[in-house]
Amino acid sequence: MKLSLRLRPIAFIGVLLLAWQIAVSLHPGHLLPTPLEVLRGIGDLLQHGLLLKYIVASLFRVTWGFALAALLAIPLGLLIGWYSRAEMAFNPLLQILRPISPLAWIPIAILWFGVGDLAAVFLIFLCCFFPLLLTSIQAVRSVPAVYIHAGRNFGLSPAAMIGRVLYPAVMPQLIIGLRITLGIAWLVVVAAEMIAVNSGLGFLIVDARNAGSRYDLVVAGMIMIGVIGWLLDLGMRSLERVRSLRWGYAED
Amino acid sequence: MSSSIKEGAISPSPETKLVVEHVSMIFARDGKSVPVLADIDLDVRRGEFLCIVGPSGCGKSTLLNLMGGFLPPTSGAIRIDGEIVRGPDPRRIFVFQERGVFPWLTVEGNIGFGLFKLSREERERRIAHYIQMVGLKGFEQAYPSELSGGMKQRLEVARALAVDPDVLFLDEPFGALDSITRLTMRGELLRIWETEGNTIIFVTHDIDEAVQLADRVAVMSSRPGRIQQIVDIDIPHPRDISSPRYLELRAGIYDQIGLAHRI
């Protein structure tokens, strides 16, 4: 029973792939490659060593942009959230910067950093920075007053207050924020690579189309993006199962 | 303002633990000032179990927060052992409803939370002692989300007791528990109070709870809160809650608050 439940989504995908294969072979044209062609495309990429290279290139940019944003946005957000006056000062600016799509920054990124990794990392950084900043401001502000009071009551120094009360209290929300942000970063890296660099999965898609209308490679790139995005999310989700964090998610 | 009260001028009698002197509290809400407490005077004896009862919104929780040092009074002062209260202090621990336990720490971690200044051995000894005392043995590694409401409440009391405070402030600690657990918890609190000898100031809106637990019951009027009457509960523990004296005292407080005896 349990196994068959687990197999159900795989079987479903299998049926869809089969339907795709049949549908395309019934109407041969150039609207979509067949799953087999895509598989062959992935094989091609593997053979030329491009697949791994492009995946690593994309992950590299996401890692740097995401890590830099987290390193800056989280402490800053905690600080702003803690001092309500700082929040009042920052809030209007944040509310205006936040709705600007990271893609709107592409021309400026290229102007500042040229065409290359740095521009892409900068775009990832931007798209992670604002959501993370807002999440951490919100996280501090929603720490129940009883925890703060209890910390003060037991005579905690300000540093101990941050380390032993504030930080553990905001962790669950921060992790949700990090998870969502990593998802955004993965969306944006593809767009950034289509314009600013000549490697990575986003570049693969644009290049495959421009260089020879290799739609098998376009679809292969899309599938790799999907699979890796899913794996990244699974990785972040596994953090939510840490025992000392679980209180922030479980409803029962 | 509090500056009109000379510090150290009053030498408290050895029996007096806590004194509330002409305390008033005014909150500013939407530009309007709302008087919450009006000229409260109250003495609490060392080792006493004092209950504060009153209708909801009468400011009893605010009064307790002032005593705990979490808020400064608008005017007047609160002294503990003759010293003016200027902030929270580990010698007097505030127990919230079970919401106050830290969900990211285990039972052990919670009880040991305030013991960071002690040596490792002493810390472990106290944790073990208080786990035993509140009946959480076998749950040392459990997280609060794995405990029942009553167990969480016991955990919070244990965390407070572990730092060996002179005064415990309890703000409707059993309010969120079911009625059977609440009765058990009252018995346990009395047992702990009799062994530990802390001064306990206990806020509740439950008149029965107050008459069952307290040495004295301070009855507050509705906003702005004043102390209407202080009732001595002269029944020794364990109390027979069907005795004529119990019923008489209880009826007196009902009258005082203006509640009917029939529904």
Side-chain angles (χ1 to χ4, degrees), chain B residues 136-148:
Chain B
L136 286 173
K137 209 152 174 40
F139 292 92
E140 289 85 350
Q141 300 304 323
Y143 282 89
S145 59
E146 298 157 352
L147 304 177
S148 70

Side-chain angles (χ1 to χ4, degrees), chain A residues 89-105:
Chain A
F90 275 93
N91 203 39
L93 181 67
L94 288 179
Q95 295 305 334
I96 292 170
L97 286 176
R98 194 173 59 119
I100 302 175
S101 161
L103 305 183
W105 287 87

Side-chain angles (χ1 to χ4, degrees), chain B residues 48 140 157 203 226 237 256:
Chain B
E48 182 177 28
E140 289 85 350
V157 170
V203 161
R226 297 166 203 278
H237 291 290
Q256 194 50 242

Side-chain angles (χ1 to χ4, degrees), chain A residues 155-175:
Chain A
L156 259 52
S157 64
M161 193 74 170
I162 293 170
R164 298 185 60 204
V165 177
L166 216 54
Y167 168 74
V170 299
M171 255 336 245
Q173 264 187 280
L174 275 190
I175 285 177

Side-chain angles (χ1 to χ4, degrees), chain A residues 146-147 149-150 152-156 164-165 168-169 243-244 247, chain B residues 70 88-90 92-94 96 99 101 103-104 113 116 143 146:
Chain A
V146 276
Y147 300 155
H149 279 195
R152 285 177 65 200
N153 203 168
F154 285 102
L156 259 52
R164 298 185 60 204
V165 177
R243 261 189 110 208
S244 61
W247 61 272
Chain B
F70 291 106
D89 190 301
R92 345 178 249 273
I93 298 293
F94 202 106
F96 308 90
R99 302 168 288 121
V101 297
W104 56 85
F113 183 82
F116 50 94
Y143 282 89
E146 298 157 352

Side-chain angles (χ1 to χ4, degrees), chain B residues 18 45 52 67 106 128 145 148 192-193 212 234 259 261:
Chain B
L18 183 150
R45 293 192 284 264
I52 302 174
M67 292 184 194
T106 59
S145 59
S148 70
I192 289 168
W193 171 61
Q212 286 164 23
D234 49 3
L259 289 171
H261 292 272

Side-chain angles (χ1 to χ4, degrees), chain B:
Chain B
M1 289 306 290
S2 56
S3 59
S4 65
I5 292 153
K6 277 177 243 136
E7 251 181 272
I10 301 161
S11 57
S13 86
E15 261 79 73
T16 308
K17 180 71 189 171
L18 183 150
V19 187
V20 180
E21 294 168 339
H22 306 297
V23 161
S24 296
M25 189 69 196
I26 297 168
F27 282 130
R29 259 183 219 135
D30 307 324
K32 278 179 275 181
S33 55
V34 183
V36 178
L37 296 171
D39 200 27
I40 303 266
D41 281 301
L42 186 64
D43 283 21
V44 185
R45 293 192 284 264
R46 195 175 303 281
E48 182 177 28
F49 198 131
L50 178 89
C51 278
I52 302 174
V53 295
S56 64
C58 74
K60 52 191 191 297
S61 283
T62 304
L63 179 58
L64 201 66
N65 272 287
L66 293 173
M67 292 184 194
F70 291 106
L71 288 170
T74 309
S75 66
I78 289 158
R79 292 168 190 275
I80 293 181
D81 295 324
E83 254 176 77
I84 290 189
V85 171
R86 299 199 184 282
D89 190 301
R91 286 173 299 175
R92 345 178 249 273
I93 298 293
F94 202 106
V95 177
F96 308 90
Q97 294 184 2
E98 84 254 18
R99 302 168 288 121
V101 297
F102 297 120
W104 56 85
L105 293 176
T106 59
V107 165
E108 274 187 346
N110 265 289
I111 298 180
F113 183 82
L115 305 177
F116 50 94
K117 282 180 186 146
L118 301 181
S119 69
R120 196 192 153 91
E121 297 84 58
E122 177 62 9
R123 192 162 60 226
E124 276 166 8
R125 197 193 61 73
R126 285 216 205 170
I127 292 173
H129 176 77
Y130 286 100
I131 282 181
Q132 179 83 39
M133 171 176 273
V134 300
L136 286 173
K137 209 152 174 40
F139 292 92
E140 289 85 350
Q141 300 304 323
Y143 282 89
S145 59
E146 298 157 352
L147 304 177
S148 70
M151 288 161 94
K152 273 188 264 188
Q153 187 58 70
R154 284 200 283 255
L155 173 58
E156 196 173 339
V157 170
R159 183 181 72 185
L161 291 171
V163 297
D164 196 18
D166 325 332
V167 185
L168 279 181
F169 299 109
L170 295 115
D171 188 5
E172 302 201 20
F174 309 144
L177 304 178
D178 65 87
S179 57
I180 295 168
T181 313
R182 211 180 300 160
L183 275 174
T184 328
M185 291 297 296
R186 284 176 202 160
E188 289 190 25
L189 182 63
L190 283 173
R191 177 176 58 81
I192 289 168
W193 171 61
E194 277 160 6
T195 36
E196 301 271 303
N198 324 77
T199 305
I200 292 184
I201 301 171
F202 188 110
V203 161
T204 178
H205 56 249
D206 184 332
I207 293 164
D208 283 279
E209 185 164 73
V211 181
Q212 286 164 23
L213 292 173
D215 293 328
R216 287 189 304 154
V217 176
V219 183
M220 285 180 70
S221 65
S222 51
R223 182 173 292 178
R226 297 166 203 278
I227 304 278
Q228 236 175 0
Q229 197 194 10
I230 293 179
V231 183
D232 268 299
I233 310 295
D234 49 3
I235 319 172
H237 291 290
R239 287 175 182 167
D240 176 359
I241 59 170
S242 56
S243 70
R245 182 65 184 145
Y246 174 87
L247 296 171
E248 185 189 344
L249 287 166
R250 178 173 168 275
I253 296 173
Y254 269 81
D255 283 341
Q256 194 50 242
I257 293 185
L259 289 171
H261 292 272
R262 289 184 182 79
I263 46 168

